[in-house]
Amino acid sequence: MEKLAAKVVENFEFLKKMLRDRAECGENEITIYDDPLTIVIKRERIDFYVGEEFHGSVGKNFCTLSEVVMEEARLWLEGLAGMKFKRYAVRK
């Protein structure tokens, strides 16, 4: 999970641009709502909440997630880390 989280936080700025219409994007965090799960992506870690209850974080060198969110967090991290961050030029 730490490797996936590292890829997500390393691409924070690109992710913020890609999710601007689907999430709340601030200067230092991106908040995604997937009721009842809330994912808060920060520049150094990703926090997971169920409702308003904190269920842990994952970052480059740590993973402190509860069993309640472990599987959903893995799926979200895989999806976020798998997004394409390359720019493609349109040929005329």
Side-chain angles (χ1 to χ4, degrees), residues 3-5 7-8 11 76-85:
K3 287 182 181 181
L4 293 171
K7 188 169 182 183
V8 172
N11 290 298
W76 267 102
L77 290 171
E78 286 176 355
L80 292 168
M83 296 179 102
K84 302 298 179 204
F85 297 106

Side-chain angles (χ1 to χ4, degrees), residues 50-75:
V50 176
E52 305 233 348
E53 186 178 338
F54 179 71
H55 277 267
S57 296
V58 62
K60 291 180 182 181
N61 299 314
F62 66 94
C63 181
T64 58
L65 296 172
S66 74
E67 288 298 319
V68 174
V69 297
M70 188 67 74
E71 184 61 21
E72 283 294 318
R74 183 186 61 76
L75 294 172

Side-chain angles (χ1 to χ4, degrees), residues 12-87:
F12 181 87
E13 288 299 323
F14 294 112
L15 195 58
K16 188 165 77 168
K17 288 177 186 175
M18 292 179 75
L19 294 174
R20 68 178 172 258
D21 295 330
R22 296 183 184 104
E24 288 181 8
C25 299
E27 183 64 31
N28 294 309
E29 67 181 38
I30 303 164
T31 304
I32 301 169
Y33 299 99
D34 183 26
D35 196 33
L37 192 65
T38 301
I39 302 103
V40 181
I41 304 165
K42 299 181 180 184
R43 293 185 182 274
E44 69 284 344
R45 70 178 192 266
I46 300 125
D47 297 336
F48 291 88
Y49 297 83
V50 176
E52 305 233 348
E53 186 178 338
F54 179 71
H55 277 267
S57 296
V58 62
K60 291 180 182 181
N61 299 314
F62 66 94
C63 181
T64 58
L65 296 172
S66 74
E67 288 298 319
V68 174
V69 297
M70 188 67 74
E71 184 61 21
E72 283 294 318
R74 183 186 61 76
L75 294 172
W76 267 102
L77 290 171
E78 286 176 355
L80 292 168
M83 296 179 102
K84 302 298 179 204
F85 297 106
K86 295 180 182 176
R87 293 184 188 176

